[in-house]
């Protein structure tokens, strides 16, 4: 059994059109959400044996703020392949992990993270959390999957169960979708 955590970067700022997508920082709502989710991830209780993350600015800021709020900075492995990667690319990256850590937290982007959940968790009606992800895996969302594998190299479609899903709006309604007046 392996445990996979997926943490999407927090809400980013689109105000500076001169910035490359890779260089977009978090906006104020994103900074608040990142800290709140960092506390939640810490209290969830999994000790992540390995953390792999996209080096995009919005991801690095999400991790920095989440770690600061949680009072701990975990060792990180930055991997540019996570930046805007598809689900198959993310799965390949997980299959490459050496020393078979019991748990991995991957921090990155959509649609890849969301699609990875869809690929790993069967669409058989048994997972209400999967149904929630189908609605949306928003910025700063955190999901935990249990995988029926002994080694990361065995990762395959439909090998997982979605055990946990938390979004910033679940912890603070002000961080939910903005309603226009």
């Amino acid at each position: 059994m392996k445990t996979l955590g997926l943490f999407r970067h927090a809400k980013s700022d689109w105000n500076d059109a001169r910035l490359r997508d890779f260089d977009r920082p978090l906006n104020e709502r994103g900074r608040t959400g990142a800290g709140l989710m960092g506390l939640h991830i810490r209290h969830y209780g999994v000790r992540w044996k390995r953390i792999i993350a996209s080096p995009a600015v919005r991801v690095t800021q999400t991790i920095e703020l989440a770690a600061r709020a949680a009072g701990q900075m975990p060792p990180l492995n930055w991997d540019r392949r996570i930046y805007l990667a598809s689900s198959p690319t993310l799965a390949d990256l997980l299959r490459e992990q050496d020393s078979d850590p019991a748990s991995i937290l991957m921090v990155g982007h959509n649609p890849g993270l969301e699609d990875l959940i869809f690929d790993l968790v069967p669409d058989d009606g048994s997972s209400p959390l999967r149904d929630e992800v189908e609605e949306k895996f928003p910025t700063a969302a955190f999901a935990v999957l249990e995988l029926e594998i002994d080694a990361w190299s065995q990762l395959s479609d439909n090998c997982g169960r979605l055990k946990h899903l938390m979004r910033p709006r679940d912890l603070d309604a002000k961080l939910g979708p903005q309603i226009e007046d």
Side-chain angles (χ1 to χ4, degrees):
M1 176 81 65
K2 299 291 185 187
T3 301
L4 174 62
L6 300 174
F7 184 26
R8 185 175 173 203
H9 67 78
K11 187 153 287 298
S12 60
D13 190 342
W14 288 86
N15 288 334
D16 189 345
R18 296 170 297 159
L19 289 177
R20 297 180 311 154
D21 180 74
F22 187 88
D23 297 324
R24 282 190 294 114
L26 297 181
N27 65 18
E28 186 59 38
R29 197 166 141 211
R31 289 189 288 277
T32 301
L36 187 63
M37 293 307 292
L39 284 173
H40 174 76
I41 292 168
R42 178 177 180 202
H43 293 299
Y44 183 72
V46 172
R47 288 198 50 97
W48 303 104
K49 300 297 183 190
R50 181 167 300 157
I51 299 175
I52 53 178
S54 162
V57 170
R58 59 192 179 274
V59 174
T60 62
Q61 289 180 338
T62 297
I63 292 169
E64 178 183 309
L65 291 164
R68 186 180 310 146
Q72 56 190 9
M73 178 53 99
L76 295 166
N77 298 307
W78 303 104
D79 194 316
R80 188 161 178 119
R81 293 176 294 173
I82 297 173
Y83 174 66
L84 302 182
S86 67
S87 174
T89 298
L90 296 175
D92 286 345
L93 196 147
L94 289 166
R95 283 187 204 99
E96 292 173 8
Q97 297 305 302
D98 59 358
S99 74
D100 274 321
S103 59
I104 294 176
L105 176 62
M106 180 180 280
V107 189
H109 312 267
N110 255 4
L113 293 179
E114 181 177 298
D115 289 344
L116 186 60
I117 293 170
F118 298 147
D119 290 344
L120 296 178
V121 178
D123 185 13
D124 59 8
S126 66
S127 177
L129 292 178
R130 188 184 191 284
D131 295 341
E132 288 187 47
V133 173
E134 283 192 28
E135 284 181 35
K136 188 170 186 184
F137 191 66
T139 51
F142 170 65
V144 179
L145 292 80
E146 283 185 355
L147 307 173
E148 293 290 335
I149 57 175
D150 295 319
W152 289 100
S153 61
Q154 299 170 333
L155 188 75
S156 62
D157 286 356
N158 300 316
C159 72
R161 289 186 310 276
L162 185 55
K163 301 299 286 184
H164 181 75
L165 175 65
M166 187 61 62
R167 301 159 294 206
R169 69 178 180 216
D170 299 327
L171 300 170
D172 182 345
K174 292 182 296 227
L175 296 173
Q178 302 298 298
I179 299 170
E180 299 296 324
D181 291 328

